[in-house]
Amino acid sequence: MNYYGYEIPYIPSRFGGGQQPGFPPPGFGGGQQGFPPFGGGQQQDGPPSSPPPSYTPQESPSLYAVDPGAIRGCLYRYTYIWLNNGSSFWFYPTYVGRDSIAGYRWRNFRWVYYGTDLRRIRSFRCS
C-alpha cells in the first residue's frame, strides 16, 4: 500500500475471539497523522464474523468531501467505499477520526485491517 493506506491481515485465534492485527507498518500507529492509536477500543472489536453482502451497490456521486460526521453513521456496518483512484470495496469501519477511517476491508475472501485518509474516499454507502 502507499502512504495513505495500509493492510494487515486478520488472524483468527484457536482459543475463541480473535487475535488482532500484528504490528503496524513503520510510521503508523500511536495516532500519528490522524490515524487511530493501536491499543484502543477497536482492538477488541475485530472483523465481522461473516462476509459482506454479495452485491455491489450503486454509487451515488458526492459533490462534497467525505465528512467524518456523515461516515460515522456507518460504524460497525457493512459499507461500500469508492476511492478517488477508482478502487471500490466492502469495508467494515470500526474507527472514524477527523481525517481518517480504519476498520476491516474485504479482500481475497477475507477481512484485512485497513485504514485510509478520508480525502481519498470519493463516496460511500452503508447497508
Side-chain angles (χ1 to χ4, degrees):
M1 273 303 200
N2 64 23
Y3 176 81
Y4 293 106
Y6 71 96
E7 293 181 11
I8 301 172
Y10 175 77
I11 304 166
S13 170
R14 297 181 297 179
F15 306 107
Q19 178 182 344
Q20 292 305 310
F23 294 101
F28 195 89
Q32 296 173 359
Q33 302 164 11
F35 286 100
F38 284 83
Q42 82 278 5
Q43 291 280 55
Q44 299 168 352
D45 299 326
S49 57
S50 60
S54 57
Y55 65 91
T56 300
Q58 192 81 5
E59 182 178 9
S60 300
S62 173
L63 300 176
Y64 307 100
V66 172
D67 177 68
I71 203 164
R72 190 168 284 116
C74 296
L75 278 170
Y76 307 103
R77 296 171 61 189
Y78 292 116
T79 304
Y80 203 83
I81 301 280
W82 289 270
L83 297 179
N84 294 329
N85 68 5
S87 296
S88 60
F89 50 88
W90 281 105
F91 184 64
Y92 187 81
T94 58
Y95 169 86
V96 177
R98 190 184 74 212
D99 301 318
S100 63
I101 188 167
Y104 294 89
R105 176 179 176 170
W106 185 250
R107 184 168 219 175
N108 297 323
F109 302 100
R110 64 185 181 142
W111 292 106
V112 292
Y113 196 71
Y114 175 81
T116 193
D117 192 300
L118 289 174
R119 292 173 295 185
R120 295 186 66 223
I121 300 174
R122 181 173 70 213
S123 61
F124 65 93
R125 177 174 284 188
C126 6
S127 59

